[in-house]
């Protein structure tokens, strides 16, 4: 009787385990699947060499990635995520600086205040777009994959450019220089996201 009960429990365990393993395999654990791309891995130096067309961008890339990865070989989604987090942190610092300038009365002219306001609208749009990119990267490039990432970082760049257009008449503003640096961080994130392959066709 006890032996029969053990046999029944074993059969039940196997009947549950097999469908579970099949589901995990279909979801692409440990590799690509119908929804997730096979993401290449590389060092920070290799990733930066692959995407940087100028010395300035390569140096920015290495500073950004080596602060978190060192010489480790990591999936390109991890490198891209590091750059996206850097861009989001930079946005937050710029918004805080702009708020401090406005609250402290350092921007007396109404026209410049309006430019600051327009700039912050651009930052809000960029922050929302790049937050979605961060979520997509956390999912390993699944879902919309490269197309979704491109839509997100393109919107992020447009947000930075929207701010910059409003500040063209105020090149001496500290916000002008900060926005240029933030756009470079956004561009770096975009370039690293471009290393994420598109998911295989169904």
């Amino acid at each position: 009787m006890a032996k029969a009960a053990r046999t029944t429990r074993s059969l039940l365990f196997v009947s549950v385990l097999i469908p579970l393993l099949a589901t995990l395999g279909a979801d692409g654990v440990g590799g690509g699947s119908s929804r997730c791309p096979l993401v290449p891995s590389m060092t920070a130096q290799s990733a930066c060499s692959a995407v940087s067309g100028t010395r300035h961008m390569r140096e920015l890339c290495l500073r950004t990635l080596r602060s978190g990865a060192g010489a480790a070989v990591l999936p390109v989604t991890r490198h891209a995520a590091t750059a996206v987090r850097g861009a989001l942190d930079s946005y937050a610092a710029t918004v805080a600086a702009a708020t401090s300038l406005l609250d402290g009365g350092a921007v007396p002219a109404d026209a410049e205040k309006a430019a600051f306001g327009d700039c912050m609208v651009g930052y809000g749009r960029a922050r929302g777009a790049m937050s979605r990119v961060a979520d997509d990267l956390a999912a390993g490039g699944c879902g919309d994959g490269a197309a979704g990432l491109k839509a997100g970082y393109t919107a992020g760049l447009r947000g930075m450019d929207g701010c910059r257009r409003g500040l063209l008449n105020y090149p001496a503003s500290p916000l002008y220089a900060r926005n240029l640096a933030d756009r470079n961080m956004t561009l770096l994130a975009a370039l690293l996201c471009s290393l994420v392959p598109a998911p295989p066709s169904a």
Side-chain angles (χ1 to χ4, degrees):
M1 188 73 175
K3 182 177 180 180
R6 285 195 299 272
T7 301
T8 300
R9 285 196 298 271
S10 297
L11 290 173
L12 286 172
F13 175 76
V14 171
S15 68
V16 171
L17 180 62
I18 290 176
L20 177 60
L21 290 175
T23 300
L24 291 174
D27 284 342
V29 174
S33 74
S34 61
R35 293 184 301 164
C36 304
L38 281 168
V39 176
S41 295
M42 57 184 70
T43 63
Q45 184 169 351
S46 295
C48 292
S49 296
V51 302
S52 301
T54 65
R55 180 178 178 181
H56 173 75
M57 185 58 70
R58 187 171 187 274
E59 290 175 349
L60 174 62
C61 183
L62 289 172
R63 284 198 307 272
T64 301
L65 298 190
R66 283 180 173 169
S67 64
V73 176
L74 297 174
V76 293
T77 48
R78 291 274 299 277
H79 291 311
T82 297
V84 170
R85 284 195 302 272
L88 288 169
D89 289 345
S90 193
Y91 297 169
T94 296
V95 170
T99 302
S100 178
L101 288 169
L102 289 169
D103 291 347
V107 188
D110 289 342
E112 189 172 357
K113 287 179 181 177
F116 268 51
D118 291 341
C119 180
M120 292 301 98
V121 171
Y123 268 78
R125 291 172 178 166
R127 183 171 60 248
M130 296 302 281
S131 293
R132 291 191 294 274
V133 171
D135 291 341
D136 288 345
L137 290 170
C142 302
D144 292 333
L149 293 175
K150 183 176 181 179
Y153 64 67
T154 299
L157 287 167
R158 285 175 179 163
M160 292 294 99
D161 290 341
C163 170
R164 190 163 187 79
R165 283 192 297 272
L167 294 174
L168 287 176
N169 292 328
Y170 307 98
S173 168
L175 199 58
Y176 187 94
R178 294 189 73 113
N179 173 247
L180 177 59
D182 292 347
R183 192 191 189 282
N184 284 338
M185 276 298 300
T186 308
L187 178 58
L188 172 61
L191 291 170
L192 289 168
C193 283
S194 72
L195 296 176
V196 179
S201 57

